[in-house]
Amino acid sequence: MAKDQLQVLNALDVAKTQLYHFTAIVIAGMGFFTDAYDLFCISLVTKLLGRIYYYRPGSLDPGSLPPNVAAAVNGVAFCGTLSGQLFFGWLGDKMGRKRVYGMTLMLMVICSLASGLSFGHTPSGVMATLCFFRFWLGFGIGGDYPLSATIMSEYANKKTRGAFIAAVFAMQGFGILTGGIVTLIISSAFRARFDAPTYQENATASTPAQADFVWRIILMFGAIPALMTYYWRMKMPETARYTALVAKNAKQAASDMSKVLQVEIVEEPDKVEEFTRDKDFGLFSREFLRRHGMHLLGTTMCWFLLDIAFYSQNLFQKDIFTAINWIPKARTMSALEEVFRIARAQTLIALCGTVPGYWFTVALIDIIGRFLIQIVGFFMMTVFMLGLAIPYHHWTTPGNHIGFVVMYGFTFFFANFGPNSTTFIVPAEIFPARLRSTCHGISAAAGKAGAIVGSFGFLYASQNQDKTKTDHGYPPGIGIRNSLFVLAACNLLGVVFTFFVPESKGKSLEELSGENEEENVEMATGYTRTVPV
């Protein structure tokens, strides 16, 4: 039997789309813009780092990062992100969303700047300093995941909640795109000013001393958008759902939302007390397991499996493009030309596949629902991965790389118009208010565990099976073709685990979490749901 909804929560659920919704999207979205820029810009400069700090005199090919260094530089931010998601997710439920929100942003600003100022007397020293700051950068980014999603879900109305949360997450696409554009601009400016021969013409001169500034400027640029939104984050009031259902302060919740919605809202302290009575079970309780255990398993496994594929694709695009000859061999380019070509390729993929996918989700998620978008997305990613892997030798022959890039772009499109968006949205909707940020953090951390598997594993797995053709310092792997088969299998498993997650379209957060129920076994266990058709 359902309890009557609190007036302040009902006002949020039925509120018309207005300015404060868009303000919240921009404030939360700029955090995600920064997150994506900071996480993915490193893949644009790792080849340059290898040329600058690991030059091998007399070698036929430019210097490259040793396997352990490359794995650390690419993956250390994910280790920090995983830790930050768990810690700040938990802290957001203990201290409130707003109080923790500013901490994560300042950590991101400081560590973005510090990453570009990495120092050391030896190459190992510079890389160690860079990894140290990128770990803490990731820690701050990790906090942004559960807090941004939870804040947006708790501010939104139930009719367009999916689109609002998706719009916050869609800023990730613009962050990836901006990373490519900034890299194109900076590398072009330095190439024009400090022209250099190709590596095979003059190995030493192909990497001008000024190239060391390029990667530093690219990394430090990430601090700018984060810094621009700090003031506005601090001005946002705490969400009414946290204030009423967790802090149990009916007066403050009504006051805050009266100002935001510009309507008179009655304080209901007695109703708040009744609403929250007997709903204090913890994360590790039998009651939580009964009500939400399958949901949490579904959200964590879907995010884990998705990110194995998604992050290995994103971080190692440059290696795949080189393998299919879309980017020329490194020895035929100068250091700055190589940075430019890698950025151009990744920008094109982001523009044609990544960004449109996010906004298709924004447009359609509240029409066709989360479940259908996620299951179709996983399935189509599987199809396109197999389409790349099965005729892989065809794609590597001259004249066929355009077809490969188109297929590759479609996998990004269906990742973003699919599970990459829905795995972020659903955990912010289906769990109780006092555990919402924590459960989102756990789900997101599972995703980053997948990203770590993808980034570290793909680095080694994608190496050629012939040890004479592997990158310097790497053991033989299973090759890019077989790696694509593994990623396709991960996506197929994602289809299976999608069935563990309920559809949340058009329902209030309290209805989804069971917080407005006296006792409803079907709602609690989650075995009933309407599947969109």
Side-chain angles (χ1 to χ4, degrees):
M1 180 180 168
K3 298 176 183 176
D4 290 337
Q5 180 75 304
L6 293 173
Q7 186 181 344
V8 65
L9 303 186
N10 187 62
L12 285 166
D13 281 340
V14 301
K16 292 181 179 178
T17 300
Q18 50 195 280
L19 181 61
Y20 87 89
H21 286 121
F22 294 108
T23 304
I25 288 170
V26 172
I27 293 169
M30 286 307 291
F32 259 87
F33 176 97
T34 306
D35 296 350
Y37 181 96
D38 288 333
L39 283 177
F40 292 112
C41 69
I42 193 68
S43 68
L44 299 168
V45 298
T46 47
K47 296 271 191 182
L48 179 61
L49 291 172
R51 285 189 184 238
I52 295 171
Y53 294 104
Y54 292 90
Y55 169 65
R56 302 187 304 276
S59 172
L60 290 175
D61 292 303
S64 60
L65 296 179
N68 59 330
V69 176
V73 168
N74 279 302
V76 71
F78 295 138
C79 297
T81 304
L82 188 155
S83 306
Q85 286 163 336
L86 293 172
F87 176 72
F88 286 114
W90 168 79
L91 204 62
D93 283 332
K94 293 297 178 185
M95 293 176 59
R97 292 50 159 139
K98 179 193 171 180
R99 289 179 66 186
V100 183
Y101 213 24
M103 300 180 199
T104 63
L105 203 66
M106 284 313 298
L107 194 57
M108 287 157 59
V109 169
I110 292 166
C111 292
S112 289
L113 295 173
S115 295
L117 298 174
S118 298
F119 54 87
H121 295 295
T122 64
S124 298
V126 176
M127 293 301 109
T129 314
L130 175 62
C131 287
F132 174 80
F133 289 125
R134 282 193 63 80
F135 174 87
W136 290 107
L137 172 65
F139 193 72
I141 289 171
D144 227 43
Y145 275 73
L147 293 170
S148 289
T150 300
I151 285 171
M152 198 65 244
S153 74
E154 293 182 344
Y155 264 116
N157 61 56
K158 63 184 181 182
K159 184 179 178 182
T160 55
R161 185 179 60 238
F164 289 158
I165 306 173
V168 169
F169 195 61
M171 294 301 288
Q172 191 179 71
F174 287 122
I176 295 170
L177 181 63
T178 301
I181 293 171
V182 168
T183 304
L184 285 173
I185 293 169
I186 293 171
S187 60
S188 296
F190 274 77
R191 279 177 73 197
R193 180 68 179 83
F194 307 104
D195 193 28
T198 66
Y199 181 85
Q200 59 189 10
E201 290 173 342
N202 188 326
T204 306
S206 68
T207 308
Q210 293 80 5
D212 194 50
F213 292 110
V214 171
W215 69 269
R216 296 177 184 275
I217 294 169
I218 292 167
L219 296 187
M220 292 172 76
F221 184 87
I224 296 172
L227 199 57
M228 288 168 59
T229 55
Y230 180 78
Y231 171 77
W232 298 107
R233 280 199 179 191
M234 294 298 93
K235 293 280 286 181
M236 287 179 77
E238 182 57 84
T239 70
R241 285 183 160 93
Y242 180 86
T243 307
L245 301 178
V246 184
K248 300 180 183 178
N249 188 337
K251 182 178 179 180
Q252 188 64 49
S255 172
D256 288 343
M257 291 307 105
S258 292
K259 294 173 185 173
V260 168
L261 298 172
Q262 298 181 333
V263 295
E264 191 64 36
I265 297 175
V266 178
E267 301 168 22
E268 300 173 295
D270 294 337
K271 202 168 178 180
V272 165
E273 186 61 36
E274 179 192 348
F275 207 84
T276 56
R277 190 182 302 134
D278 302 325
K279 293 290 193 297
D280 289 332
F281 55 84
L283 180 66
F284 300 105
S285 67
R286 189 172 297 176
E287 184 66 13
F288 178 85
L289 183 64
R290 182 176 73 84
R291 289 171 175 262
H292 301 291
M294 295 292 280
H295 299 165
L296 189 58
L297 177 64
T299 57
T300 53
M301 285 305 299
C302 287
W303 212 333
F304 173 77
L305 292 164
L306 164 78
D307 276 6
I308 291 176
F310 185 74
Y311 279 88
S312 58
Q313 276 185 281
N314 255 307
L315 287 173
F316 301 106
Q317 288 180 53
K318 59 189 182 300
D319 304 304
I320 292 172
F321 293 153
T322 300
I324 64 163
N325 302 315
W326 194 28
I327 296 176
K329 297 294 182 185
R331 69 174 75 100
T332 66
M333 298 180 284
S334 68
L336 294 176
E337 184 185 355
E338 186 176 33
V339 172
F340 177 85
R341 285 179 176 269
I342 291 168
R344 186 177 64 181
Q346 294 196 191
T347 301
L348 185 62
I349 288 290
L351 193 61
C352 298
T354 305
V355 173
Y358 283 114
W359 291 98
F360 265 74
T361 302
V362 174
L364 296 175
I365 192 164
D366 287 311
I367 298 172
I368 63 177
R370 289 74 162 145
F371 179 82
L372 192 59
I373 287 177
Q374 181 162 310
I375 209 161
V376 170
F378 267 131
F379 179 75
M380 294 305 294
M381 286 174 71
T382 305
V383 169
F384 283 109
M385 288 279 191
L386 292 175
L388 294 173
I390 293 171
Y392 180 72
H393 299 298
H394 165 77
W395 298 122
T396 58
T397 55
N400 294 326
H401 64 263
I402 296 297
F404 183 98
V405 171
V406 171
M407 295 274 282
Y408 196 69
F410 270 116
T411 66
F412 278 106
F413 175 82
F414 281 106
N416 296 310
F417 179 43
N420 193 41
S421 296
T422 53
T423 52
F424 176 78
I425 294 164
V426 175
E429 298 180 306
I430 63 176
F431 298 107
R434 71 192 171 284
L435 296 171
R436 185 168 291 132
S437 179
T438 301
C439 289
H440 194 285
I442 292 169
S443 302
K448 281 301 165 287
I452 292 167
V453 171
S455 58
F456 284 86
F458 196 83
L459 194 64
Y460 288 87
S462 62
Q463 294 298 313
N464 200 292
Q465 292 170 292
D466 182 350
K467 65 180 181 181
T468 63
K469 296 180 180 179
T470 62
D471 291 341
H472 178 73
Y474 286 87
I478 61 174
I480 287 178
R481 181 172 185 260
N482 290 329
S483 297
L484 289 169
F485 277 121
V486 172
L487 299 184
C490 290
N491 293 326
L492 197 58
L493 276 174
V495 172
V496 176
F497 280 102
T498 297
F499 286 94
F500 287 57
V501 183
E503 176 59 73
S504 52
K505 176 171 75 81
K507 298 177 182 177
S508 74
L509 297 180
E510 290 67 44
E511 184 183 355
L512 286 162
S513 65
E515 287 170 291
N516 67 344
E517 298 292 319
E518 294 287 0
E519 184 62 34
N520 186 330
V521 174
E522 286 188 339
M523 174 63 69
T525 56
Y527 289 112
T528 60
R529 82 144 147 247
T530 302
V531 178
V533 292

